[in-house]
Each structure stands twice: as C-alpha cells, then as structure tokens.
Amino acid sequence: MNILIIGSGGREHALAWKIKQSKKAGIIFTAPGNAGTSEIGINLPIGINDFAKIKEAVLFHKISMVIVGPEDPLVNGICDYFRNDSELSHVFIIGPDKYAAQLEGSKEFAKNFMQKYHIPTARFKSFNKDQINEAFLFLNELQAPYVLKADGLAAGKGVLILQDIDEAKTELVQMLDGKFGKASETVVIEEFLSGIEVSVFALTDGKSFKILPEAKDYKRIGEGDTGLNTGGMGAVSPVSFADEVFMQKVEERIIIPTINGIQNEKMDYKGFVFFGLISVKGEPFVIEYNARLGDPETEVIIPRIKSDLLELFIALSNGQLDNYQLTIDDQFATTVMLVSKGYPENYEKGKPIQIGTTNNDIHIFHAGTKVHEKMAITNGGRVIAVTAVGNSMKVALSKSYSMIEKISFEGKNFRKDIGFDL
Ligand code: AMP
Ligand code: GLY
C-alpha cells in the first residue's frame, strides 16, 4: 500500500524508516519531507496545510494511508477534510478530528476536559480581556512561580513562567493584548508544579489503546536545562523514574480516563495521544496533551518498537487495535539533535552536510535538511537527530556522541549532557 507522511522533521523520517521495513509498504511519500525521507521514498513539494494539493496527490499516487506528523494540519481539520470527502473517505488518515485536536490546540479546552474527567492536573482558571481584575485576584491566590499559557498554538512559545507577581500581571496584560496574536486572546493561569517531566504516548481508535514507549526530551538550548526553549535538543527512552508503579498510576489515573472522555465526548479520534506529564514526588499530573507524536521523542520511541508499525496502523484502521500484539525492545535508545549555529534564534541555512559511516545501532534521522545538487544541506534550526541503541542509557549515549564526531556541517551545535538528570 502507498503511504503519505505529512511533515518534514526527524519524527517523519523515523516513521518513514520504520514503515519502509514492513512487507506491506508500497511507496512512501512524504510532504514536504527532507533529505532523509527522499532516500526512503518520494518527497512531494506540498505544504502541510494545503489540503487541496494533498488530496490531489493522494488520488494521483493511489495512496491509501496518511499519517499526520505535526499538530497544525490536525488543528486545522485535515482529518475531517478526508473523512467528509467522498473521493477520500476510503483513505485511512491517522489523527483526531478537528474537535478532538483542540486537546492540543486550546489549553482552555484541554484543561476543561481534564477537570470534567477528573484527570490530575495543575489547578487553573482561564481569562479573557474583559476579566483582568478576576485574573489578578486569581494570581494573588497563587504562589510564585506563576504559569501563564496562551490558549492557542504559539509555536511552543506561549507558556511563560514568572517569579514575580507584578511581572506576571504585566505579562498577562500584554498576552491578552495580543502578544501571541489570537492565540493569547484567552490565557490559562495555573498553579506551578515542581517535578520531573516525561512524555507518554498512546495510539487509540477512540475506545481501546496501546501504550507506546515513554521518553524524556530536553527542550532548552543549554546544558543543565538552561537558556531558551527549542523544539527539543535530544531524548531518551526508557525513562528510569517512569517505572512499573508510576506507569500503572499513569494508565489508571490518566490514560484510561482520557480515552473514556474521548469516547464520551464522541470525538473521532484514530491517532496518537501525547501525554506531557510531570511526576510530583512520584504522582503523575498532566501538563499538556498533544494530538500527535513528539519530536524528538519519536526518534527514540520508534527504534524500540519491534512490531511491524504498518501492521499496527492497519489494525487501527480495521478496528483491531485491541487484538494487536505490540512488542517493545527493552534496550535503551537515545537521540542527540544537531542544530544550526544561532538556533533557536537566527541561524543560517544551506550548509553542506557530511555524514560518516554508521552501523546497525545508529540511526541518522534528518530534520531540517534538503537535497541540493545531489547533496544534503542544512535547511532548518534542528538539522539531524543522531539516535543510538544500547544496553544502557550510558552505552546508547556514548554511541550517539561518537557518531556525532563523524557528522560535520558549518556551525554544528548540540547539547553534551542529554540524560544528565536521570
Ligand atoms: P506546555 O506548552 O503546556 O507543555 O508548557 C511548556 C513547558 O512549561 C512544560 O514542558 C513545562 O516545563 C512548563 N510548564 C507548563 N505548565 C507548568 C506547570 N503547571 N508547572 C510547572 N511547569 C509547567
Ligand atoms: N518534544 C515535544 C513536542 O514534540 O512537542
């Protein structure tokens, strides 16, 4: 069967790489893809939100499954577009409908959902421009630090954590005045939770679910989790503190009530749920939901899945998810992201990339790269995820870091301390 993956990051390259290993895979198209996905299948020069062009390509190339990587098209309703179009309704698209994608697209929607289904999360209230006084009163009730969240998608920049109440009030006013455009017309204010974060993933058909390997990502640019937020500088899986006892609590208190809520709200959800969790003294709380897989988490989750991923997706499409036997490798996977000099602020593109020889334990997943005159060149802030597999986190990390020495491009930067806190 021909497959289309939408997106252009390391996540999409990892998905394409894994699906390619299935006997059932036909041609793997990626839109728009990167230099890595172009080696696996065919890149289509189509934007991720250009639904009409995507439809044209799906019909032309006889594609029967579409996997949506990033959140934007999901929040914009790509699944509804496919499921409501008579020419496309035979195509299986993996993702939630537009209504359900609000679990990621609106913090207020997600928090109300968690409250309704008694899912542990930080205490919160949401406010708009007409409620500044109420918002100030709520801030007065809370203790520092203060967490302010733009309701809508803000490219990972919409969350502010402030130590000082006056600063929090000033920022709140600016947010409601459009600091993040429409995304911050509503602001969620919540209690600060102190703990350690972990990303947990489930694949669901809206009734049953399979839990995928968990991962921890490292979002800050600097060592020791300092400096600006990025899309993610590295990840590890499994995560030592997410042991059996913790994961049991996650399943009972968070995953099952979430899936029940999805069913109860009649959401059309055939896709991934990403639970951004925080462990507060061993008790899990939801920080956020995402309606997709994480990046760079996917680059460590996928290599640990032993089962045929395409068969898993086919089982999902046939309503057979419950009967599918998912096998996970208990080895460790780590990934370190190579980024362009200057990222996450201004950076240059177009630098030629040289990659030395790899072996079976190493997977090079391209992110911001493209092919230019038969050569891979940099084309984004996050350039390449260097994944390695080993018997321990330490072994896997040393393989990732040795491989990094064999990759060069001008301005190559990376964090040297992935996994430091585990
Ligand atoms: P979000 O976009 O909701 O994932 O928030 C971005 C980051 O802000 C999270 O990954 C956390 O590190 C931090 N964060 C968000 N909400 C809270 C909270 N209530 N308490 C502590 N940290 C938080
Ligand atoms: N790594 C976090 C995310 O994909 O949102």
Side-chain angles (χ1 to χ4, degrees):
M1 82 167 38
N2 291 348
I3 292 147
L4 170 64
I5 300 172
I6 295 178
S8 61
R11 168 180 52 208
E12 288 75 25
H13 187 192
L15 286 166
W17 169 79
K18 179 71 179 167
I19 289 170
K20 177 81 176 171
Q21 294 164 28
S22 173
K23 284 199 190 77
K24 298 207 164 112
I27 305 172
I28 299 170
F29 295 89
T30 310
N34 57 37
T37 59
S38 75
E39 284 172 17
I40 291 176
I42 297 174
N43 284 355
L44 302 172
I46 302 175
I48 59 172
N49 288 305
D50 192 343
F51 299 171
K53 284 254 168 59
I54 292 172
K55 169 178 173 176
E56 216 174 275
V58 163
L59 296 177
F60 184 78
H61 296 293
K62 301 192 167 39
I63 288 164
S64 41
M65 182 184 287
V66 178
I67 303 156
V68 186
E71 61 276 18
D72 248 43
L74 295 170
V75 171
N76 291 335
I78 192 167
C79 292
D80 312 62
Y81 183 90
F82 269 73
R83 291 169 192 159
N84 297 332
D85 184 313
S86 59
E87 288 178 290
L88 291 175
S89 54
H90 67 285
V91 178
F92 184 64
I93 180 160
I94 299 185
D97 65 2
K98 187 174 179 167
Y99 180 69
Q102 289 180 91
L103 287 172
E104 172 158 6
S106 163
K107 305 262 186 212
E108 184 185 37
F109 180 92
K111 295 291 286 192
N112 286 334
F113 177 93
M114 290 181 238
Q115 194 169 47
K116 179 166 176 187
Y117 293 100
H118 308 291
I119 294 162
T121 190
R123 190 157 82 90
F124 76 101
K125 280 188 182 165
S126 56
F127 302 94
N128 61 37
K129 223 178 157 170
D130 303 325
Q131 299 167 305
I132 294 211
N133 290 333
E134 291 95 317
F136 283 2
L137 287 175
F138 186 60
L139 278 172
N140 290 339
E141 275 177 38
L142 299 174
Q143 315 240 318
Y146 303 93
V147 183
L148 307 181
K149 298 185 172 184
D151 173 56
L153 293 182
K157 297 192 171 73
V159 175
L160 301 181
I161 298 181
L162 304 151
Q163 296 298 332
D164 178 78
I165 188 142
D166 294 325
E167 204 187 338
K169 288 178 179 171
T170 309
E171 285 290 351
L172 173 71
V173 171
Q174 287 179 6
M175 284 174 88
L176 293 170
D177 270 341
K179 177 169 182 158
F180 299 105
K182 250 188 108 51
S184 64
E185 277 177 6
T186 298
V187 173
V188 172
I189 301 179
E190 64 181 47
E191 175 189 35
F192 180 83
L193 297 175
S194 180
I196 184 160
E197 288 175 64
V198 58
S199 308
V200 171
F201 300 89
L203 182 65
T204 185
D205 55 11
K207 293 186 195 76
S208 47
F209 61 87
K210 290 282 171 204
I211 301 177
L212 306 175
E214 79 286 354
K216 183 171 197 307
D217 84 335
Y218 293 82
K219 288 202 181 91
R220 303 294 197 90
I221 187 71
E223 268 105 33
D225 287 340
T226 54
L228 294 175
N229 249 329
T230 71
M233 295 294 290
V236 302
S237 176
V239 178
S240 52
F241 69 86
D243 56 11
E244 223 171 286
V245 174
F246 181 81
M247 289 305 288
Q248 193 65 35
K249 291 179 189 169
V250 171
E251 185 168 349
E252 279 167 19
R253 299 178 196 171
I254 292 169
I255 300 179
I256 294 174
T258 299
I259 304 298
N260 288 345
I262 285 173
Q263 194 172 3
N264 198 49
E265 300 293 322
K266 300 191 170 52
M267 292 172 171
D268 185 1
Y269 208 127
K270 296 185 183 67
F272 299 100
V273 189
F274 171 158
F275 301 87
L277 306 182
I278 189 162
S279 166
V280 181
K281 301 194 180 93
E283 307 302 323
F285 289 79
V286 179
I287 291 275
E288 63 164 354
Y289 287 121
N290 294 310
R292 52 173 173 87
L293 286 173
D295 192 347
E297 287 96 329
T298 305
E299 291 93 301
V300 290
I301 291 171
I302 290 291
R304 292 192 57 220
I305 297 179
K306 281 192 186 165
S307 314
D308 182 318
L309 191 66
L310 183 53
E311 280 184 4
L312 174 66
F313 292 163
I314 293 170
L316 174 74
S317 75
N318 294 335
Q320 295 295 319
L321 187 62
D322 234 1
N323 300 327
Y324 190 83
Q325 192 61 44
L326 180 66
T327 337
I328 305 297
D329 191 341
D330 38 61
Q331 290 207 88
F332 286 72
T334 58
T335 200
V336 179
M337 195 58 84
L338 302 182
V339 304
S340 300
K341 183 179 162 197
Y343 175 79
E345 296 184 287
N346 291 338
Y347 55 83
E348 290 176 17
K349 297 181 185 178
K351 311 290 181 195
I353 305 168
Q354 283 88 30
I355 301 176
T357 48
T358 58
N359 61 41
N360 284 341
D361 294 342
I362 305 282
H363 310 296
I364 302 293
F365 295 127
H366 287 241
T369 72
K370 71 173 186 181
V371 180
H372 177 72
E373 291 173 354
K374 295 188 178 160
M375 214 175 133
I377 59 169
T378 66
N379 190 40
R382 294 195 294 168
V383 178
I384 284 175
V386 183
T387 295
V389 177
N391 289 329
S392 67
M393 187 175 82
K394 211 171 149 190
V395 168
L397 280 169
S398 73
K399 291 181 192 176
S400 284
Y401 284 114
S402 311
M403 185 63 214
I404 284 173
E405 286 171 27
K406 297 197 269 178
I407 302 176
S408 56
F409 60 86
E410 193 188 310
K412 176 181 91 176
N413 186 25
F414 58 97
R415 258 180 77 166
K416 288 147 196 92
D417 69 341
I418 298 306
F420 79 98
D421 53 347
L422 294 178

